Amino acid sequence: MNYTKLQELLINFIKKQAGDKNLILGLSGGIDSAVVAYLCKKAVQDKLFALLMPTKQSNKENLNDALMLCKKLNIKYQIIYIDDILQNFEKVIQNPTQLRIGNLAARVRMSLLYDYSALYNALVVGTSNKSELMLGYGTIYGDLACAFNPLATLYKSEVFELAKFMGVHENFIKKAPSADLWPNQSDEKDLGYKYEVLDEVLKALENKQSLENFDENLKNLVLERMQNNAFKRKLPTTLKNTYDLA
């Protein structure tokens, strides 16, 4: 892939989507949000704002890396610990599980992003990559919510390559991908396979190629996740029309 051309296309895409508005994104300390921050900074310069929204259980390295990135790129930012908000949710929900609390954390973060987007007249920039979107590996109305998404056409393995090309700090490239929804959470631990392996199946599916040479468990995992999470990629269902009621 021509990453020089790709970077140029993505920067122009961001400029066009931004128009005369500011941009805001959530910086997690992971590679996806780091790449989006680099691209947005190149596209809109000082019209970029970041929210860092850890819990006290979040990986400290992620927060440190996010802060390092803000300082390196001179991005305006604010840190908001979301523990108190989550604890209030936990008081009223029944039988909370780790996954449900993780989803709540993702939705709290997105609620804050949209509130600050109103404050700063800014558009919320998404940070989900194509692999996550195809697999449904994200929280609907949480980290999947955004005004536009620069990485939506890039597989996770391509995001890593773009990060290397752009000179993103090696801390982001070396660490295991994680949504940091609970302690020691890891994308690849949850999914059972590394992204480069999953991406090969996803690319084959996209290109309508045979899957016969792939491991059976791998194939089944990808196909089941895509089927079970297809609703996350669709707009809400509505009645087609009401003309016949007149």
Side-chain angles (χ1 to χ4, degrees):
M1 184 179 288
N2 185 335
Y3 286 98
T4 301
K5 183 66 174 176
L6 174 61
Q7 178 182 235
E8 181 184 340
L9 286 171
L10 289 170
I11 291 170
N12 288 335
F13 169 74
I14 292 168
K15 284 180 180 177
K16 183 177 180 181
Q17 298 304 311
D20 59 355
K21 287 184 173 289
N22 298 308
L23 299 180
I24 185 168
L25 79 156
L27 265 184
S28 66
I31 192 166
D32 296 310
S33 62
V35 168
V36 172
Y38 267 78
L39 292 167
C40 287
K41 183 65 180 181
K42 288 177 181 288
V44 301
Q45 297 298 316
D46 294 335
K47 295 172 71 177
L48 176 63
F49 188 84
L51 283 186
L52 286 58
M53 298 169 283
T55 67
K56 291 183 172 65
Q57 292 183 325
S58 294
N59 187 329
K60 296 290 190 296
E61 288 182 8
N62 288 336
L63 179 58
N64 291 338
D65 288 341
L67 285 169
M68 172 187 70
L69 182 63
C70 288
K71 291 167 184 174
K72 177 180 179 180
L73 298 183
N74 194 25
I75 296 172
K76 297 183 290 291
Y77 69 91
Q78 184 168 340
I79 303 173
I80 303 175
Y81 281 91
I82 64 171
D83 300 85
D84 290 345
I85 303 172
L86 284 175
Q87 284 167 11
N88 283 320
F89 270 115
E90 290 182 51
K91 290 176 184 176
V92 297
I93 63 174
Q94 297 181 22
N95 304 318
T97 63
Q98 187 170 252
L99 177 60
R100 287 168 58 210
I101 295 299
N103 284 331
L104 283 171
R107 292 184 179 120
V108 166
R109 287 169 177 138
M110 193 52 62
S111 295
L112 288 167
L113 280 168
Y114 271 94
D115 179 65
Y116 273 72
S117 77
L119 177 65
Y120 289 108
N121 187 31
L123 296 175
V124 176
V125 189
T127 60
S128 296
N129 58 70
K130 189 174 188 175
S131 305
E132 293 168 340
L133 295 172
M134 289 181 72
L135 293 168
Y137 193 70
T139 302
I140 190 168
Y141 308 123
D143 53 307
L144 296 181
C146 59
F148 66 95
N149 189 353
L151 301 185
T153 56
L154 297 182
Y155 289 103
K156 184 77 170 192
S157 49
E158 294 171 337
V159 174
F160 275 102
E161 293 304 314
L162 178 60
K164 293 173 187 175
F165 171 81
M166 295 179 68
V168 174
H169 196 281
E170 63 176 6
N171 283 12
F172 297 97
I173 296 169
K174 290 190 306 181
K175 72 174 64 172
S178 170
D180 206 14
L181 295 178
W182 53 79
N184 302 315
Q185 186 262 339
S186 159
D187 294 6
E188 293 172 346
K189 197 184 299 180
D190 289 347
L191 294 167
Y193 295 91
K194 290 185 177 295
Y195 274 111
E196 54 261 36
V197 176
L198 294 164
D199 284 353
E200 291 304 312
V201 182
L202 294 173
K203 288 175 185 177
L205 285 167
E206 184 181 30
N207 295 319
K208 296 180 170 56
Q209 297 170 345
S210 171
L211 301 182
E212 62 181 359
N213 292 327
F214 289 104
D215 172 75
E216 202 67 25
N217 290 332
L218 172 62
K219 279 190 297 186
N220 290 338
L221 174 106
V222 171
L223 292 170
E224 285 175 13
R225 285 201 67 98
M226 289 182 68
Q227 181 178 357
N228 293 340
N229 293 316
F231 71 96
K232 295 182 182 181
R233 301 189 295 274
K234 296 177 181 177
L235 291 172
T237 303
T238 61
L239 188 65
K240 288 186 179 178
N241 65 67
T242 56
Y243 297 126
D244 55 345
L245 300 178

PDB file of all heavy atoms in Angstrom, residues 173-195:
ATOM      1  N   ILE A 173       2.864   1.318  19.183  1.00  0.00           N
ATOM      2  CA  ILE A 173       2.985   0.219  18.227  1.00  0.00           C
ATOM      3  C   ILE A 173       3.279  -1.096  18.931  1.00  0.00           C
ATOM      4  O   ILE A 173       2.797  -2.157  18.524  1.00  0.00           O
ATOM      5  CB  ILE A 173       4.076   0.553  17.185  1.00  0.00           C
ATOM      6  CG1 ILE A 173       3.649   1.786  16.367  1.00  0.00           C
ATOM      7  CG2 ILE A 173       4.360  -0.632  16.270  1.00  0.00           C
ATOM      8  CD1 ILE A 173       4.742   2.370  15.497  1.00  0.00           C
ATOM      9  N   LYS A 174       4.039  -1.050  20.017  1.00  0.00           N
ATOM     10  CA  LYS A 174       4.467  -2.276  20.709  1.00  0.00           C
ATOM     11  C   LYS A 174       3.400  -2.871  21.611  1.00  0.00           C
ATOM     12  O   LYS A 174       3.351  -4.077  21.805  1.00  0.00           O
ATOM     13  CB  LYS A 174       5.721  -2.004  21.546  1.00  0.00           C
ATOM     14  CG  LYS A 174       6.983  -1.741  20.747  1.00  0.00           C
ATOM     15  CD  LYS A 174       8.207  -1.726  21.645  1.00  0.00           C
ATOM     16  CE  LYS A 174       8.059  -0.760  22.802  1.00  0.00           C
ATOM     17  NZ  LYS A 174       9.272  -0.722  23.665  1.00  0.00           N
ATOM     18  N   LYS A 175       2.539  -2.032  22.196  1.00  0.00           N
ATOM     19  CA  LYS A 175       1.614  -2.537  23.220  1.00  0.00           C
ATOM     20  C   LYS A 175       0.500  -3.380  22.599  1.00  0.00           C
ATOM     21  O   LYS A 175       0.094  -3.172  21.452  1.00  0.00           O
ATOM     22  CB  LYS A 175       1.044  -1.400  24.045  1.00  0.00           C
ATOM     23  CG  LYS A 175       0.043  -0.518  23.344  1.00  0.00           C
ATOM     24  CD  LYS A 175      -0.580   0.512  24.282  1.00  0.00           C
ATOM     25  CE  LYS A 175       0.431   1.513  24.814  1.00  0.00           C
ATOM     26  NZ  LYS A 175      -0.187   2.616  25.560  1.00  0.00           N
ATOM     27  N   ALA A 176       0.012  -4.322  23.378  1.00  0.00           N
ATOM     28  CA  ALA A 176      -1.091  -5.173  22.923  1.00  0.00           C
ATOM     29  C   ALA A 176      -2.365  -4.336  22.814  1.00  0.00           C
ATOM     30  O   ALA A 176      -2.677  -3.557  23.723  1.00  0.00           O
ATOM     31  CB  ALA A 176      -1.307  -6.318  23.903  1.00  0.00           C
ATOM     32  N   PRO A 177      -3.095  -4.451  21.703  1.00  0.00           N
ATOM     33  CA  PRO A 177      -4.336  -3.687  21.541  1.00  0.00           C
ATOM     34  C   PRO A 177      -5.328  -3.976  22.668  1.00  0.00           C
ATOM     35  O   PRO A 177      -5.544  -5.129  23.043  1.00  0.00           O
ATOM     36  CB  PRO A 177      -4.890  -4.194  20.200  1.00  0.00           C
ATOM     37  CG  PRO A 177      -3.697  -4.708  19.461  1.00  0.00           C
ATOM     38  CD  PRO A 177      -2.800  -5.281  20.523  1.00  0.00           C
ATOM     39  N   SER A 178      -5.918  -2.903  23.209  1.00  0.00           N
ATOM     40  CA  SER A 178      -6.868  -3.065  24.313  1.00  0.00           C
ATOM     41  C   SER A 178      -7.805  -1.871  24.362  1.00  0.00           C
ATOM     42  O   SER A 178      -7.387  -0.731  24.197  1.00  0.00           O
ATOM     43  CB  SER A 178      -6.118  -3.167  25.645  1.00  0.00           C
ATOM     44  OG  SER A 178      -7.017  -3.089  26.728  1.00  0.00           O
ATOM     45  N   ALA A 179      -9.094  -2.161  24.617  1.00  0.00           N
ATOM     46  CA  ALA A 179     -10.054  -1.080  24.839  1.00  0.00           C
ATOM     47  C   ALA A 179      -9.959  -0.552  26.265  1.00  0.00           C
ATOM     48  O   ALA A 179     -10.576   0.458  26.600  1.00  0.00           O
ATOM     49  CB  ALA A 179     -11.469  -1.583  24.569  1.00  0.00           C
ATOM     50  N   ASP A 180      -9.188  -1.230  27.120  1.00  0.00           N
ATOM     51  CA  ASP A 180      -8.955  -0.818  28.507  1.00  0.00           C
ATOM     52  C   ASP A 180     -10.270  -0.656  29.270  1.00  0.00           C
ATOM     53  O   ASP A 180     -10.438   0.271  30.056  1.00  0.00           O
ATOM     54  CB  ASP A 180      -8.156   0.493  28.537  1.00  0.00           C
ATOM     55  CG  ASP A 180      -7.352   0.651  29.832  1.00  0.00           C
ATOM     56  OD1 ASP A 180      -7.208  -0.348  30.562  1.00  0.00           O
ATOM     57  OD2 ASP A 180      -6.883   1.773  30.103  1.00  0.00           O
ATOM     58  N   LEU A 181     -11.214  -1.578  29.020  1.00  0.00           N
ATOM     59  CA  LEU A 181     -12.521  -1.496  29.670  1.00  0.00           C
ATOM     60  C   LEU A 181     -12.503  -2.079  31.076  1.00  0.00           C
ATOM     61  O   LEU A 181     -13.374  -1.787  31.884  1.00  0.00           O
ATOM     62  CB  LEU A 181     -13.577  -2.223  28.821  1.00  0.00           C
ATOM     63  CG  LEU A 181     -13.847  -1.604  27.442  1.00  0.00           C
ATOM     64  CD1 LEU A 181     -14.868  -2.435  26.685  1.00  0.00           C
ATOM     65  CD2 LEU A 181     -14.321  -0.157  27.575  1.00  0.00           C
ATOM     66  N   TRP A 182     -11.523  -2.957  31.353  1.00  0.00           N
ATOM     67  CA  TRP A 182     -11.330  -3.502  32.697  1.00  0.00           C
ATOM     68  C   TRP A 182      -9.863  -3.895  32.836  1.00  0.00           C
ATOM     69  O   TRP A 182      -9.137  -3.965  31.831  1.00  0.00           O
ATOM     70  CB  TRP A 182     -12.256  -4.693  32.957  1.00  0.00           C
ATOM     71  CG  TRP A 182     -12.198  -5.793  31.951  1.00  0.00           C
ATOM     72  CD1 TRP A 182     -11.254  -6.779  31.853  1.00  0.00           C
ATOM     73  CD2 TRP A 182     -13.118  -6.032  30.875  1.00  0.00           C
ATOM     74  NE1 TRP A 182     -11.528  -7.610  30.803  1.00  0.00           N
ATOM     75  CE2 TRP A 182     -12.678  -7.173  30.184  1.00  0.00           C
ATOM     76  CE3 TRP A 182     -14.290  -5.392  30.451  1.00  0.00           C
ATOM     77  CZ2 TRP A 182     -13.347  -7.686  29.083  1.00  0.00           C
ATOM     78  CZ3 TRP A 182     -14.957  -5.902  29.354  1.00  0.00           C
ATOM     79  CH2 TRP A 182     -14.491  -7.035  28.686  1.00  0.00           C
ATOM     80  N   PRO A 183      -9.365  -4.135  34.035  1.00  0.00           N
ATOM     81  CA  PRO A 183      -7.939  -4.422  34.228  1.00  0.00           C
ATOM     82  C   PRO A 183      -7.475  -5.613  33.401  1.00  0.00           C
ATOM     83  O   PRO A 183      -8.153  -6.654  33.325  1.00  0.00           O
ATOM     84  CB  PRO A 183      -7.847  -4.729  35.732  1.00  0.00           C
ATOM     85  CG  PRO A 183      -8.983  -3.969  36.337  1.00  0.00           C
ATOM     86  CD  PRO A 183     -10.090  -4.033  35.332  1.00  0.00           C
ATOM     87  N   ASN A 184      -6.328  -5.437  32.752  1.00  0.00           N
ATOM     88  CA  ASN A 184      -5.671  -6.489  31.956  1.00  0.00           C
ATOM     89  C   ASN A 184      -6.493  -6.961  30.764  1.00  0.00           C
ATOM     90  O   ASN A 184      -6.259  -8.037  30.222  1.00  0.00           O
ATOM     91  CB  ASN A 184      -5.322  -7.698  32.843  1.00  0.00           C
ATOM     92  CG  ASN A 184      -4.430  -7.330  34.006  1.00  0.00           C
ATOM     93  OD1 ASN A 184      -3.454  -6.604  33.836  1.00  0.00           O
ATOM     94  ND2 ASN A 184      -4.773  -7.803  35.196  1.00  0.00           N
ATOM     95  N   GLN A 185      -7.473  -6.151  30.355  1.00  0.00           N
ATOM     96  CA  GLN A 185      -8.268  -6.512  29.183  1.00  0.00           C
ATOM     97  C   GLN A 185      -7.420  -6.394  27.923  1.00  0.00           C
ATOM     98  O   GLN A 185      -6.601  -5.482  27.784  1.00  0.00           O
ATOM     99  CB  GLN A 185      -9.497  -5.597  29.066  1.00  0.00           C
ATOM    100  CG  GLN A 185     -10.475  -5.979  27.973  1.00  0.00           C
ATOM    101  CD  GLN A 185     -10.294  -5.172  26.705  1.00  0.00           C
ATOM    102  OE1 GLN A 185      -9.726  -4.087  26.734  1.00  0.00           O
ATOM    103  NE2 GLN A 185     -10.749  -5.704  25.594  1.00  0.00           N
ATOM    104  N   SER A 186      -7.580  -7.336  27.004  1.00  0.00           N
ATOM    105  CA  SER A 186      -6.829  -7.346  25.754  1.00  0.00           C
ATOM    106  C   SER A 186      -7.750  -7.750  24.614  1.00  0.00           C
ATOM    107  O   SER A 186      -8.512  -8.716  24.732  1.00  0.00           O
ATOM    108  CB  SER A 186      -5.659  -8.340  25.850  1.00  0.00           C
ATOM    109  OG  SER A 186      -5.202  -8.731  24.575  1.00  0.00           O
ATOM    110  N   ASP A 187      -7.711  -6.999  23.507  1.00  0.00           N
ATOM    111  CA  ASP A 187      -8.542  -7.334  22.339  1.00  0.00           C
ATOM    112  C   ASP A 187      -8.280  -8.758  21.880  1.00  0.00           C
ATOM    113  O   ASP A 187      -9.208  -9.536  21.658  1.00  0.00           O
ATOM    114  CB  ASP A 187      -8.232  -6.380  21.174  1.00  0.00           C
ATOM    115  CG  ASP A 187      -8.636  -4.951  21.466  1.00  0.00           C
ATOM    116  OD1 ASP A 187      -9.047  -4.663  22.606  1.00  0.00           O
ATOM    117  OD2 ASP A 187      -8.537  -4.124  20.554  1.00  0.00           O
ATOM    118  N   GLU A 188      -6.994  -9.076  21.699  1.00  0.00           N
ATOM    119  CA  GLU A 188      -6.640 -10.370  21.121  1.00  0.00           C
ATOM    120  C   GLU A 188      -6.927 -11.516  22.089  1.00  0.00           C
ATOM    121  O   GLU A 188      -7.206 -12.642  21.672  1.00  0.00           O
ATOM    122  CB  GLU A 188      -5.185 -10.340  20.666  1.00  0.00           C
ATOM    123  CG  GLU A 188      -5.006  -9.383  19.485  1.00  0.00           C
ATOM    124  CD  GLU A 188      -3.561  -9.138  19.091  1.00  0.00           C
ATOM    125  OE1 GLU A 188      -2.665  -9.496  19.875  1.00  0.00           O
ATOM    126  OE2 GLU A 188      -3.338  -8.591  17.998  1.00  0.00           O
ATOM    127  N   LYS A 189      -6.916 -11.222  23.409  1.00  0.00           N
ATOM    128  CA  LYS A 189      -7.294 -12.234  24.387  1.00  0.00           C
ATOM    129  C   LYS A 189      -8.794 -12.492  24.297  1.00  0.00           C
ATOM    130  O   LYS A 189      -9.265 -13.625  24.365  1.00  0.00           O
ATOM    131  CB  LYS A 189      -6.917 -11.759  25.794  1.00  0.00           C
ATOM    132  CG  LYS A 189      -6.891 -12.865  26.850  1.00  0.00           C
ATOM    133  CD  LYS A 189      -6.612 -12.291  28.233  1.00  0.00           C
ATOM    134  CE  LYS A 189      -5.258 -11.599  28.291  1.00  0.00           C
ATOM    135  NZ  LYS A 189      -4.990 -11.038  29.636  1.00  0.00           N
ATOM    136  N   ASP A 190      -9.565 -11.412  24.124  1.00  0.00           N
ATOM    137  CA  ASP A 190     -11.018 -11.545  23.993  1.00  0.00           C
ATOM    138  C   ASP A 190     -11.388 -12.290  22.709  1.00  0.00           C
ATOM    139  O   ASP A 190     -12.272 -13.152  22.712  1.00  0.00           O
ATOM    140  CB  ASP A 190     -11.686 -10.166  23.952  1.00  0.00           C
ATOM    141  CG  ASP A 190     -11.643  -9.460  25.292  1.00  0.00           C
ATOM    142  OD1 ASP A 190     -11.318 -10.116  26.303  1.00  0.00           O
ATOM    143  OD2 ASP A 190     -11.931  -8.256  25.320  1.00  0.00           O
ATOM    144  N   LEU A 191     -10.727 -11.934  21.618  1.00  0.00           N
ATOM    145  CA  LEU A 191     -11.073 -12.492  20.317  1.00  0.00           C
ATOM    146  C   LEU A 191     -10.477 -13.882  20.091  1.00  0.00           C
ATOM    147  O   LEU A 191     -10.996 -14.664  19.296  1.00  0.00           O
ATOM    148  CB  LEU A 191     -10.603 -11.548  19.206  1.00  0.00           C
ATOM    149  CG  LEU A 191     -11.317 -10.189  19.161  1.00  0.00           C
ATOM    150  CD1 LEU A 191     -10.580  -9.216  18.246  1.00  0.00           C
ATOM    151  CD2 LEU A 191     -12.761 -10.350  18.693  1.00  0.00           C
ATOM    152  N   GLY A 192      -9.368 -14.157  20.757  1.00  0.00           N
ATOM    153  CA  GLY A 192      -8.744 -15.472  20.625  1.00  0.00           C
ATOM    154  C   GLY A 192      -7.682 -15.567  19.553  1.00  0.00           C
ATOM    155  O   GLY A 192      -7.011 -16.599  19.422  1.00  0.00           O
ATOM    156  N   TYR A 193      -7.510 -14.513  18.770  1.00  0.00           N
ATOM    157  CA  TYR A 193      -6.522 -14.512  17.684  1.00  0.00           C
ATOM    158  C   TYR A 193      -5.917 -13.122  17.545  1.00  0.00           C
ATOM    159  O   TYR A 193      -6.535 -12.115  17.911  1.00  0.00           O
ATOM    160  CB  TYR A 193      -7.164 -14.887  16.339  1.00  0.00           C
ATOM    161  CG  TYR A 193      -7.689 -16.301  16.274  1.00  0.00           C
ATOM    162  CD1 TYR A 193      -9.004 -16.580  16.633  1.00  0.00           C
ATOM    163  CD2 TYR A 193      -6.877 -17.354  15.854  1.00  0.00           C
ATOM    164  CE1 TYR A 193      -9.504 -17.879  16.583  1.00  0.00           C
ATOM    165  CE2 TYR A 193      -7.367 -18.648  15.798  1.00  0.00           C
ATOM    166  CZ  TYR A 193      -8.674 -18.906  16.162  1.00  0.00           C
ATOM    167  OH  TYR A 193      -9.151 -20.181  16.112  1.00  0.00           O
ATOM    168  N   LYS A 194      -4.710 -13.055  16.995  1.00  0.00           N
ATOM    169  CA  LYS A 194      -4.075 -11.775  16.705  1.00  0.00           C
ATOM    170  C   LYS A 194      -4.780 -11.129  15.511  1.00  0.00           C
ATOM    171  O   LYS A 194      -5.325 -11.815  14.644  1.00  0.00           O
ATOM    172  CB  LYS A 194      -2.589 -11.962  16.399  1.00  0.00           C
ATOM    173  CG  LYS A 194      -1.769 -12.369  17.617  1.00  0.00           C
ATOM    174  CD  LYS A 194      -0.295 -12.405  17.276  1.00  0.00           C
ATOM    175  CE  LYS A 194       0.541 -12.730  18.506  1.00  0.00           C
ATOM    176  NZ  LYS A 194       0.453 -11.670  19.531  1.00  0.00           N
ATOM    177  N   TYR A 195      -4.729  -9.801  15.460  1.00  0.00           N
ATOM    178  CA  TYR A 195      -5.424  -9.083  14.402  1.00  0.00           C
ATOM    179  C   TYR A 195      -4.906  -9.445  13.009  1.00  0.00           C
ATOM    180  O   TYR A 195      -5.686  -9.515  12.059  1.00  0.00           O
ATOM    181  CB  TYR A 195      -5.317  -7.572  14.613  1.00  0.00           C
ATOM    182  CG  TYR A 195      -6.387  -7.015  15.515  1.00  0.00           C
ATOM    183  CD1 TYR A 195      -6.082  -6.524  16.780  1.00  0.00           C
ATOM    184  CD2 TYR A 195      -7.714  -6.977  15.108  1.00  0.00           C
ATOM    185  CE1 TYR A 195      -7.068  -6.001  17.606  1.00  0.00           C
ATOM    186  CE2 TYR A 195      -8.707  -6.452  15.919  1.00  0.00           C
ATOM    187  CZ  TYR A 195      -8.383  -5.970  17.171  1.00  0.00           C
ATOM    188  OH  TYR A 195      -9.361  -5.466  17.982  1.00  0.00           O
TER     189      TYR A 195
END
